[in-house]
Amino acid sequence: MTEIKIDAEGTEGTVRQIQAVIGGRIEERWGEYILTVNSAKATGSIRFITFDWGVNLLEYDITFHDEVTLIMDASEFNPIHFTYCLEGYCKHRFGSQTEEDYRTLEQFQSVIITSRDGGYNYGYFPKDKKLAINVIQITRKKFLKKRLNNVDELNRKLYEVFLDTDHESAFAYYGTYNLKLADKISALRKVKTKGMIRIMKIEGLVYEILSAHILQHDKDFKNKMPATTLIRSELKMVRKMAKMIVKDPSKDYSLELLALESGLSQAKLQEGFKLLYTRTVTEYIRHIRLEAARDYIRTTDLNISQIVYTIGFSSRSYFSKIFKRKYGISPSEFQNHVRVPLEL
């Protein structure tokens, strides 16, 4: 077991104290810091970005080669942690609890944790398990100075957590699993642009993820989580089918074909798509094809008929009808607006 004691005053100090134990090198570009490590202790990376108003992003994409316990002193730095396990799992307990009180943050689970002032957080990471963990940290006093933060609109419990700027109380919420958050965090990890635009895109996605955490807590708190008969493995399969459609929207999909591919009944497949994407299977396929068509019009020289064929539609008139219904403009009009002649 490797123990790493953390008493830093911020996210950067936390990562540097981890680095002191597991090794690696930290590189910075446009305010984005990445610790890359390949040692006997760990393989992978940890990145962090500090934004304005007390918002920090901390992401683990790492495999520890020994069991690791982070012992985090909350005296100097005690944010609200909005945590999500995209891959693997980890555990948490407060310093006042015993090892038997560890609670597991499972894959695809939304978790919100904060300690009391002077308390301790214990984080456990397993040995030789690939971890992809997203943490958004909110420093309350700084965050509440932002004029647009109407925290009074939160439900009473989370409202009290945000207003506890003196850190008098500990709080832990372990939500149900949420695959919509997985998609948002995957998008965050795939941002390809560079420089200032990259940081702006990342910050926008960070706030989307934070909003999704808060909305889920609100639904759980008000007992409004949609009921489902599906188990975790079945929801993961629904997400796999959705990704397959995004990857190749031109394929001749049908409910029957996807049910056969996934091993789920047609009823379960419909239930899963409605739960995760608020659309039936057919509506989801049409939505993805229209988004693909929009991107083809913007980024290629294909004409409308070629695009219709490329995305799997057989009728240009039907495509034009549903494209205008969705975007409020015909495909041809949209194409004329986005294609700007080059000046020679």
Side-chain angles (χ1 to χ4, degrees):
M1 172 72 74
T2 299
E3 290 189 350
I4 304 176
K5 295 182 179 180
I6 306 294
D7 58 4
E9 297 180 7
T11 305
E12 179 175 355
T14 297
V15 175
R16 292 194 182 278
Q17 288 182 333
I18 294 173
Q19 177 196 24
V21 176
I22 67 173
R25 178 181 177 184
I26 294 178
E27 295 182 327
E28 182 270 340
R29 182 170 295 180
W30 282 91
E32 179 179 7
Y33 294 78
I34 299 178
L35 166 63
T36 304
V37 57
N38 184 9
S39 69
K41 294 283 188 180
T43 303
S45 64
I46 301 174
R47 75 163 170 170
F48 65 92
I49 305 173
T50 299
F51 302 104
D52 293 333
W53 306 108
V55 179
N56 301 281
L57 170 67
L58 175 63
E59 282 199 326
Y60 296 86
D61 189 4
I62 198 166
T63 301
F64 292 107
H65 302 313
D66 187 17
E67 292 182 313
V68 171
T69 298
L70 295 185
I71 305 173
M72 295 165 279
D73 185 343
S75 299
E76 300 298 330
F77 183 55
N78 187 19
I80 308 173
H81 302 266
F82 294 82
T83 305
Y84 188 86
C85 287
L86 188 65
E87 188 174 349
Y89 72 93
C90 58
K91 296 181 180 182
H92 172 270
R93 70 176 174 89
F94 294 113
S96 58
Q97 298 174 314
T98 68
E99 291 198 5
E100 295 179 354
D101 295 316
Y102 267 119
R103 294 187 66 178
T104 301
L105 286 66
E106 298 181 355
Q107 185 182 25
F108 303 137
Q109 188 174 22
S110 168
V111 176
I112 305 173
I113 292 171
T114 189
S115 185
R116 69 191 332 173
D117 186 36
Y120 283 83
N121 288 301
Y122 283 70
Y124 168 84
F125 301 97
K127 176 182 178 180
D128 294 331
K129 183 76 173 179
K130 175 68 167 62
L131 302 174
I133 300 172
N134 175 283
V135 186
I136 297 172
Q137 300 173 329
I138 301 295
T139 304
R140 280 164 278 196
K141 286 185 178 180
K142 290 182 180 179
F143 193 71
L144 292 176
K145 288 179 180 179
K146 190 173 184 181
R147 293 180 181 176
L148 298 179
N149 290 333
N150 296 319
V151 295
D152 55 319
E153 295 181 2
L154 303 174
N155 65 62
R156 174 55 55 180
K157 189 63 180 177
L158 204 52
Y159 176 74
E160 291 172 355
V161 173
F162 269 87
L163 289 188
D164 181 18
T165 54
D166 292 327
H167 310 158
E168 295 178 348
S169 302
F171 174 80
Y173 155 77
Y174 290 76
T176 50
Y177 45 90
N178 184 329
L179 294 188
K180 290 182 181 179
L181 262 169
D183 290 337
K184 291 182 182 295
I185 291 169
S186 295
L188 175 66
R189 288 168 169 254
K190 293 176 182 176
V191 173
K192 299 295 184 184
T193 51
K194 297 180 181 180
M196 181 177 65
I197 300 299
R198 173 179 174 82
I199 298 301
M200 291 172 67
K201 282 189 174 183
I202 290 174
E203 184 173 13
L205 285 165
V206 163
Y207 276 100
E208 283 190 39
I209 293 164
L210 178 61
S211 298
H213 276 288
I214 292 172
L215 285 172
Q216 175 160 335
H217 180 272
D218 191 58
K219 288 179 180 179
D220 280 355
F221 186 77
K222 296 177 180 176
N223 295 317
K224 290 185 179 179
M225 287 301 293
T228 179
T229 62
L230 301 179
I231 61 176
R232 182 193 304 273
S233 60
E234 291 170 336
L235 285 172
K236 289 173 69 175
M237 181 54 68
V238 170
R239 183 167 178 256
K240 182 179 179 181
M241 293 299 99
K243 283 187 170 183
M244 183 174 72
I245 295 167
V246 171
K247 187 175 181 179
D248 185 8
S250 66
K251 192 173 179 179
D252 187 18
Y253 297 106
S254 67
L255 181 59
E256 182 180 4
L257 174 69
L258 291 170
L260 185 64
E261 178 81 18
S262 66
L264 301 176
S265 69
Q266 293 185 23
K268 283 193 171 185
L269 203 58
Q270 289 282 34
E271 181 182 350
F273 269 83
K274 288 178 182 177
L275 177 68
L276 298 180
Y277 304 105
T278 63
R279 292 179 172 91
T280 66
V281 171
T282 300
E283 289 169 344
Y284 183 81
I285 294 168
R286 185 167 60 237
H287 166 72
I288 294 302
R289 285 176 172 172
L290 288 172
E291 288 202 329
R294 178 199 61 196
D295 292 342
Y296 276 125
I297 292 173
R298 291 172 53 193
T299 61
T300 73
D301 291 326
L302 295 176
N303 62 42
I304 301 300
S305 295
Q306 290 171 318
I307 290 171
V308 170
Y309 173 79
T310 301
I311 62 173
F313 283 119
S314 57
S315 168
R316 174 168 174 166
S317 61
Y318 172 71
F319 164 72
S320 297
K321 177 182 177 181
I322 62 174
F323 187 96
K324 187 168 185 177
R325 184 189 305 158
K326 181 176 179 65
Y327 296 113
I329 188 173
S330 72
S332 298
E333 290 171 327
F334 181 62
Q335 190 174 58
N336 290 336
H337 277 82
V338 298
R339 287 189 177 175
V340 180
L342 294 174
E343 295 183 2
L344 299 178

